[in-house]
Amino acid sequence: MPHPNSVASPSPHTLLLVADLAAGGVRAAAILIPERQNLSCSCDWWGEEHGGASAAVEMATRMRSCVRCLANLVLPFLFFASLLYLSTRQPLLDVAVRRDVAPGRLRVFVDRAAKNASVTTGAAAQVSDIAAVAIEGGDGDVLTDAPPDSGDANVTTDNTVQQASAIAAAATEDGESKVVTDAPPASAAAAEPRVSSDSDSDIAATASTAGSDTSGDADDTIVFDFRPYVFVYKSGRVHRFHGTETVPPGVDALTGVASMDVAGAGGVGVGVGVSARLYLPPKSRRGKKRKLPVLLYFHGGAFVIESPFSPLYHAFLNILVAKAGVVAVSVDYRLAPEHPLPAAYHDAWAALRWTASNCVSGPEAWLADHGDATRIFLAGDSAGGDIAHNLAVRAGAEPPLPGGAAIAGVVLLNPYFWGKEPVGAEPGERWVRDGLEQTWALVCGGRYGIDDPHVNPLAAPGAWRGMAGERVLVTIAGRDNFRDRAAAYAEGLRRSGWRGEVETYVTEGEAHVHFVGNPRSDKAERETDKVAEFIAGGGRGNG
């Protein structure tokens, strides 16, 4: 007969399993209770008789029964206490799934949990994304200076947080390059790295190194967080996350294009120190008697990163030169914020005059022997497109170039143009537009407003009438937030009374400057083919 206090086991083994989905993870706790036929308490401290047993055996029996009683009481308590602990403790990993800029794509971020969960999941960690986003295009990631898609879940809409790392004013002192700002320092959360499973991880790791300086000297406080491009510190120091790698010139094995560098000292822009990389197509693309068109190219990078010597732009220029059959001069203009605009505009003007002069009379042999001074094309992508446009406007207003040199055309590849009010389907949220306005203030040192014609040509279409060149090609990417303003620029130029002809080329489904990050994709190949065709047309427009 079972003891009155006994509990019958429901099965040979009782397995308790609880899954907790709280706190960002999945956790399980299992307790295995061995089979007990009779979980009873035979200890009767009120005088139950155990006839025939000695006192010692009786005491031992009662102690074993007491242990079983305590186990029956304590084990359930410990089990539920463990559940409470698992459901409230900080998780080892935070997992966040966010919608990427590309429709239908997700990006998973996994962070080590911070002591305060709000540090890794708060909106402050995304403050810089109002100005720049990493867009995945084709087979590789393309870093762009386009504003984020208005529906991008990576971008916070907390305007107060947006202002935390934004610069309020920027200027230069006594011609030096120090950035002056009255903006508050970026929050610690903004400097916290995010490690993702794609190529953003190296950027985040670099950001961690840079951000770690901010806990010490006040001069190392971040006053402008322009990720994924640069951090600007109170001391004036600038940390670039990427775009600083270089590759040497030479003969490209894939295209046969040769390249060489021209140093700033005594080279391009004498007295300014502007360098350049020159490109010459293979012999099969060179005319025996007739000289080649000249391409003066300005790289992109939000005015703050990249150079002609970077792997991205060196590879892109090799492809473009081989297809177009041109002599190219890729200009290493000075970068903001150390050299805010108009420094890049001045360098572009110096490079144009140097190129024209050398095509006419040398001493640079590649230009003197192969460059046709009457067929100079200005070209650039993104920020470089902005530079090319402003250079064409200046060239039209200045005295003619030396030796009868002339600009035959202008190629604007996904140009960087913006303004105060949205055009077409541009993002209309105030915090998005304010973010672009703040980054523009950084790169120009506060000299030009966001509706200044340098960045918003639509604000002064009258200046286009005298623009140099006979033809303009504007290329547009379907997923580029600059697309509608670029299209409006082309249409406005047609109606402005400018004497030349305007073409547009649209690549649907691609992101900003996709052809630089993935130049061998089918769509990039077709776009560079279009540029080559445009240059081959010389001054004869196709409309």
Side-chain angles (χ1 to χ4, degrees):
M1 178 177 181
H3 192 278
N5 294 334
S6 67
V7 179
S9 176
S11 64
H13 291 81
T14 301
L15 179 64
L16 301 178
L17 176 64
V18 176
D20 173 30
L21 300 178
V26 177
R27 310 179 182 90
I31 295 178
L32 185 65
I33 301 178
E35 175 186 12
R36 293 188 182 277
Q37 298 297 330
N38 187 10
L39 300 179
S40 63
C41 176
S42 60
C43 62
D44 188 349
W45 298 99
W46 294 275
E48 182 181 351
E49 295 294 334
H50 294 274
S54 66
V57 172
E58 182 179 351
M59 181 61 69
T61 301
R62 291 188 175 187
M63 289 297 295
R64 286 194 298 270
S65 298
C66 286
V67 170
R68 286 196 294 267
C69 286
L70 289 174
N72 288 337
L73 293 174
V74 172
L75 282 177
F77 172 79
L78 293 176
F79 173 70
F80 288 108
S82 66
L83 290 183
L84 180 63
Y85 168 73
L86 290 174
S87 64
T88 58
R89 75 184 183 93
Q90 178 68 29
L92 294 177
L93 293 177
D94 275 342
V95 180
V97 180
R98 303 186 189 135
R99 189 180 68 80
D100 204 348
V101 180
R105 301 191 68 170
L106 296 178
R107 182 174 296 177
V108 180
F109 290 80
V110 182
D111 288 344
R112 291 190 181 277
K115 292 182 179 179
N116 184 352
S118 64
V119 173
T120 58
T121 60
Q126 300 298 327
V127 293
S128 67
D129 286 345
I130 60 173
V133 293
I135 300 178
E136 293 182 358
D139 295 330
D141 289 352
V142 181
L143 293 174
T144 80
D145 46 10
D149 189 303
S150 57
D152 188 1
N154 280 329
V155 185
T156 177
T157 58
D158 185 345
N159 192 57
T160 303
V161 175
Q162 301 302 334
Q163 301 298 328
S165 69
I167 191 167
T172 55
E173 295 180 326
D174 302 324
E176 298 297 330
S177 60
K178 181 176 180 179
V179 176
V180 181
T181 174
D182 58 2
S187 66
E192 189 83 357
R194 282 205 167 267
V195 181
S196 76
S197 59
D198 58 19
S199 62
D200 292 344
S201 58
D202 56 349
I203 299 173
T206 310
S208 175
T209 304
S212 64
D213 296 338
T214 62
S215 59
D217 190 348
D219 285 343
D220 275 338
T221 300
I222 297 172
V223 294
F224 199 96
D225 182 338
F226 191 7
R227 279 181 280 185
Y229 302 118
V230 298
F231 279 161
V232 181
Y233 293 88
K234 186 176 181 180
S235 63
R237 181 168 63 92
V238 176
H239 179 88
R240 289 179 169 84
F241 295 143
H242 60 97
T244 58
E245 304 88 352
T246 61
V247 292
V251 178
D252 182 57
L254 295 177
T255 62
V257 172
S259 59
M260 62 176 288
D261 292 340
V262 178
V268 179
V270 176
V272 178
V274 182
S275 301
R277 177 161 288 183
L278 274 59
Y279 294 84
L280 189 66
K283 290 183 178 180
S284 61
R285 296 304 312 274
R286 303 177 205 167
K288 294 182 178 180
K289 295 182 179 180
R290 189 183 182 189
K291 290 188 174 182
L292 304 175
V294 179
L295 181 69
L296 186 62
Y297 195 86
F298 303 96
H299 65 81
F303 298 97
V304 297
I305 61 168
E306 291 294 350
S307 76
F309 321 116
S310 75
L312 280 176
Y313 281 97
H314 181 65
F316 177 66
L317 263 294
N318 278 324
I319 294 171
L320 187 56
V321 167
K323 289 189 173 189
V326 297
V327 183
V329 179
S330 184
V331 182
D332 186 29
Y333 58 86
R334 289 172 291 172
L335 299 177
E338 301 95 324
H339 306 284
L341 297 174
Y345 299 146
H346 294 332
D347 294 347
W349 177 248
L352 173 60
R353 292 188 62 83
W354 179 88
T355 300
S357 176
N358 277 272
C359 285
V360 172
S361 58
E364 180 49 58
W366 281 11
L367 291 173
D369 295 342
H370 303 285
D372 184 348
T374 66
R375 290 191 294 160
I376 298 175
F377 288 82
L378 311 180
D381 66 278
S382 191
D386 175 275
I387 293 173
H389 159 77
N390 283 286
L391 181 58
V393 171
R394 179 172 179 178
E398 294 277 352
L401 294 171
I407 295 173
V410 181
V411 180
L412 307 181
L413 305 173
N414 300 177
Y416 177 116
F417 296 142
W418 201 244
K420 190 76 172 179
E421 298 303 323
V423 170
E426 285 180 354
E429 294 87 345
R430 194 72 265 158
W431 58 270
V432 175
R433 308 201 72 81
D434 288 348
L436 266 294
E437 188 169 353
Q438 290 158 7
T439 58
W440 172 251
L442 173 72
V443 301
C444 71
R447 288 179 174 85
Y448 312 123
I450 196 63
D451 275 331
D452 186 276
H454 285 94
V455 68
N456 185 14
L458 301 179
W464 300 347
R465 294 189 182 95
M467 192 170 76
E470 299 177 12
R471 300 170 64 215
V472 169
L473 172 64
V474 181
T475 73
I476 301 167
R479 286 174 46 218
D480 185 0
N481 278 330
F482 294 134
R483 63 186 182 273
D484 292 313
R485 197 169 294 265
Y489 168 88
E491 185 60 29
L493 186 57
R494 289 188 183 101
R495 299 180 179 182
S496 67
W498 180 62
R499 67 183 183 279
E501 298 186 35
V502 183
E503 293 184 60
T504 57
Y505 180 85
V506 180
T507 302
E508 295 292 353
E510 289 296 338
H512 188 64
V513 296
H514 65 99
F515 43 82
V516 175
N518 192 14
R520 291 295 186 182
S521 70
D522 290 342
K523 292 181 179 179
E525 293 273 14
R526 288 196 291 270
E527 187 156 338
T528 49
D529 286 342
K530 176 61 181 179
V531 174
E533 175 190 318
F534 175 83
I535 292 174
R540 301 182 303 278
N542 298 324

